[in-house]
Amino acid sequence: MESCGSSRFHFVQASLGQAMEYARRLYDHMQHQDPSLSAMPKNFPADLRDEINATRAQDDFYYVVGGDRNEGAVVVSLTGELPDFFPMHKVVVVIPFDDPLQLVDRIHPSTQTVGIYPETLKKPLRDLLVARGVCRFISIGHTVDYSIGGPFNSTEIMRRACRWILDESYPTKWELPGFYLRKAWQILKHHTF
C-alpha cells in the first residue's frame, strides 16, 4: 500500500534540459531517502516494469532515469503528454511546462492534493485549481505534516457534507520566528480574552 501523500506527477516550470537534470537529481534523492519515509518497493509489479521499459524505448517521447532494478524511476515527458501507465511504487512522472496556467487543464477531480512552489504561485492558481477539483494545497516538503482525520480525508463524515478547501501554507525559514510569535499570540489571545 502506498501513502496518498506520495507525489506521482511533478509539473515543473523548466526547459527539457532542466527537466532532465531535475529528474536525475530527484531519482538520486529518492534512492537516499530516510526508510521511515519511503522504502524500496517490495513487490514491484511486472506490468509497471514492462511499461517503464517500453517507455524507455520511446526516447523521442520520454526520458527515463532508473527503473532497472525495480527501485523506482523518474520519467520525463518530452512532449508534455502523460505516459500510458499510472505511476506508483516510487515511479514519478515529470512534465515540463512554460506557463503555470497550462496546468489548469491537466488537473481533474481525482487530484486531491497539490504542492506549489514558489508560494507566490499559490494565490493566482488556487481558485482555478479548486474549480477543477483540488481540495488541498500544501507547501513543498510538508505533505506529511498534517493531522489524521482532516477534511481532505474521504473517511471523515464532514467531507461529504460540504466542499472543503484546505490551504496548508508553511512559512519559509526566514519567516519562522515571526510565524511562531504570531501563533503564540493567537493562542494566548484566544484563551485569555
Side-chain angles (χ1 to χ4, degrees):
M1 182 166 90
E2 287 192 45
S3 166
C4 63
S6 298
S7 179
R8 292 163 176 44
F9 298 97
H10 291 204
F11 292 94
V12 179
Q13 190 171 10
S15 67
L16 289 179
Q18 291 169 326
M20 290 165 41
E21 177 63 23
Y22 172 77
R24 287 188 290 271
R25 290 180 184 215
L26 176 61
Y27 172 79
D28 186 53
H29 178 75
M30 288 167 49
Q31 302 312 304
H32 297 98
Q33 275 185 307
D34 181 350
S36 67
L37 290 176
S38 181
M40 290 293 180
K42 291 184 176 142
N43 299 317
F44 201 86
D47 56 337
L48 181 57
R49 179 179 39 247
D50 293 343
E51 290 282 1
I52 291 170
N53 289 334
T55 302
R56 189 185 320 275
Q58 301 175 39
D59 56 1
D60 289 342
F61 301 101
Y62 301 102
Y63 173 74
V64 180
V65 181
D68 300 321
R69 298 166 291 143
N70 299 338
E71 77 282 12
V74 181
V75 178
V76 179
S77 171
L78 303 177
T79 63
E81 296 300 316
L82 297 175
D84 292 333
F85 61 87
F86 185 78
M88 55 186 179
H89 297 282
K90 289 188 90 159
V91 176
V92 176
V93 175
V94 174
I95 301 100
F97 66 90
D98 295 321
D99 180 13
L101 293 177
Q102 291 175 316
L103 300 178
V104 175
D105 292 333
R106 304 311 275 302
I107 304 300
H108 46 80
S110 69
T111 306
Q112 173 192 317
T113 301
V114 172
I116 299 176
Y117 180 85
E119 294 283 329
T120 54
L121 279 178
K122 256 188 204 173
K123 192 169 184 181
L125 289 175
R126 187 172 38 219
D127 289 344
L128 296 168
L129 295 176
V130 165
R132 299 291 291 181
V134 175
C135 61
R136 181 178 178 226
F137 296 89
I138 60 166
S139 296
I140 297 294
H142 293 279
T143 191
V144 295
D145 297 341
Y146 67 90
S147 59
I148 294 177
F152 51 86
N153 287 340
S154 62
T155 57
E156 184 186 322
I157 298 298
M158 289 303 293
R159 185 185 185 293
R160 296 184 182 110
C162 65
R163 179 84 175 142
W164 290 86
I165 308 301
L166 190 61
D167 186 350
E168 297 181 51
S169 295
Y170 288 82
T172 64
K173 288 181 182 179
W174 294 106
E175 299 170 325
L176 276 177
F179 172 77
Y180 288 124
L181 284 172
R182 282 192 307 278
K183 189 56 82 177
W185 172 248
Q186 290 170 352
I187 292 169
L188 178 69
K189 189 169 79 172
H190 175 75
H191 291 291
T192 326
F193 304 111

